[in-house]
Amino acid sequence: MKRIVTIQDISCIGCCSITVALPIISAMGSECGILPTAVLSNHTMFSDFTCADLSDQIEPISDMWKKQGITFDGIYTGYLASKQQCVQIAGFIERFSEKDTLTVVDPAMADNGKLYPAFDSDFPMAMAEVCRRADVILPNITEASFLTGMPYRTTYEKAYIREMLERLLELGCGTAVLTGVSFDPGRLGVVYLDRDGKEFSYFTKHCEQSYHGTGDIFASTVTGGLMRGLELGESLALAADFVVDCIEATTGSGEPRWYGAEFETVIPKLCQMLNDRLKEKTVPGE
Ligand code: PXL
């Protein structure tokens, strides 16, 4: 079984970051270690929150893992609590990356044209240093505009997305994925560009409702799929389909869970979809 470590906060309530990554990656069949960056009472889109920064634990935990000979097939980072922590995590990636370690960075720091409340305007530059060390980065258009300095737009042509992807690759990552891209009303999806010039896109239904934490559900599913041997395009498509199912489950539940999407009841379907896709990849007779 593959082992990954996910590096992000524990938001005790809010259905995001580690409370989403752990169940999804485990259900998809990989061991999920955690390196918590902070403990928050709830995520920062609530009207108020407590936050205990765990930066001082990163060094001793990493040293202990080195001492015990722990290695990772994947490193997946999400919400980081401070600029200083971005520097620490960039160092962690360098220290724990081996030849075949896959590093996925979700620069979770902004949405809808704005940085999250805990960050100031020079945070994206620190996050860019984490992106530089990634095989795959998964920004939304807001995050990508902060990372590249390009203006944030809600309506755009294909050329805007292509330029954004090219500028993201200039950060140094292997493949730049843009999430939340829409060229047609009613369709929403992802587009990627890799260093060989390969472009890929996948679109699905644009749900009217949106929920916090769907980016974390998406990134966790992408990582879980990659760890099981799906191609990047297959993992992105699986993750996009799963997020739509989670949003529909949340909207359909009639419960006031505004702060996060209901992924729990959809996990059995995710496992089914993953197994179907893995089976399709197995050549009969092999
Ligand atoms: O889902 C992203 C996220 C993760 N962690 C914390 C957040 C957010 C988004 O607001 O506040 C603490």
Side-chain angles (χ1 to χ4, degrees), residues 8-11 15-17 40 42-45 79 108-109 116-117 212-216:
Q8 44 188 332
D9 67 284
I10 298 176
S11 282
C15 303
C16 65
S17 33
L40 292 89
N42 42 265
H43 66 58
T44 62
M45 303 312 275
Y79 184 101
M109 59 180 175
Y116 291 152
H212 298 299
T214 46
D216 300 343

Side-chain angles (χ1 to χ4, degrees), residues 33-271:
I34 62 170
L35 185 53
T37 53
V39 183
L40 292 89
S41 52
N42 42 265
H43 66 58
T44 62
M45 303 312 275
F46 283 72
S47 58
D48 205 359
F49 58 91
T50 67
C51 178
D53 190 295
L54 296 177
S55 297
D56 65 350
Q57 291 303 304
I58 292 171
E59 228 50 47
I61 290 175
S62 324
D63 289 349
M64 186 54 73
W65 285 346
K66 275 287 169 202
K67 193 170 144 197
Q68 315 257 357
I70 308 263
T71 56
F72 299 104
D73 302 294
I75 300 173
Y76 155 39
T77 76
Y79 184 101
L80 305 179
S82 65
K83 281 173 282 183
Q84 175 53 29
Q85 220 171 58
C86 291
V87 176
Q88 286 180 288
I89 298 311
F92 179 95
I93 293 171
E94 287 190 353
R95 200 170 170 202
F96 280 87
S97 280
E98 299 190 14
K99 198 167 98 343
D100 294 321
T101 309
L102 185 88
T103 302
V104 178
V105 171
D106 177 8
M109 59 180 175
D111 208 357
N112 299 315
K114 282 195 278 199
L115 283 172
Y116 291 152
F119 302 134
D120 51 35
S121 57
D122 49 2
F123 184 83
M125 265 183 51
M127 184 57 93
E129 283 302 303
V130 185
C131 292
R132 193 153 76 79
R133 291 160 172 86
D135 294 303
V136 179
I137 60 169
L138 301 168
N140 59 34
I141 293 178
T142 303
E143 289 155 350
S145 76
F146 280 111
L147 288 168
T148 59
M150 282 179 65
Y152 169 71
R153 295 213 189 122
T154 48
T155 52
Y156 41 76
E157 302 288 317
K158 288 201 165 123
Y160 170 77
I161 295 299
R162 175 73 193 201
E163 187 184 345
M164 208 165 230
L165 288 167
E166 286 170 0
R167 304 253 300 250
L168 286 169
L169 283 181
E170 284 169 14
L171 296 176
C173 56
T175 302
V177 181
L178 261 179
T179 65
V181 176
S182 179
F183 296 122
D184 301 304
R187 307 293 290 165
L188 188 78
V190 291
V191 182
Y192 85 56
L193 182 67
D194 71 15
R195 303 202 81 78
D196 300 325
K198 181 178 173 196
E199 203 178 319
F200 165 94
S201 57
Y202 180 80
F203 294 93
T204 177
K205 184 162 145 187
H206 190 165
C207 302
E208 267 177 43
Q209 284 288 339
S210 67
Y211 296 95
H212 298 299
T214 46
D216 300 343
I217 295 175
F218 182 82
S220 301
T221 311
V222 173
T223 307
L226 289 172
M227 283 296 119
R228 292 300 306 278
L230 293 186
E231 302 290 333
L232 180 58
E234 294 172 315
S235 293
L236 292 169
L238 174 67
D241 290 345
F242 180 51
V243 168
V244 168
D245 287 339
C246 292
I247 291 173
E248 288 183 341
T250 320
T251 313
S253 73
E255 284 181 28
R257 192 156 124 173
W258 58 269
Y259 51 80
E262 179 177 316
F263 64 93
E264 296 89 340
T265 52
V266 198
I267 281 187
K269 184 171 175 195
L270 170 64
C271 295

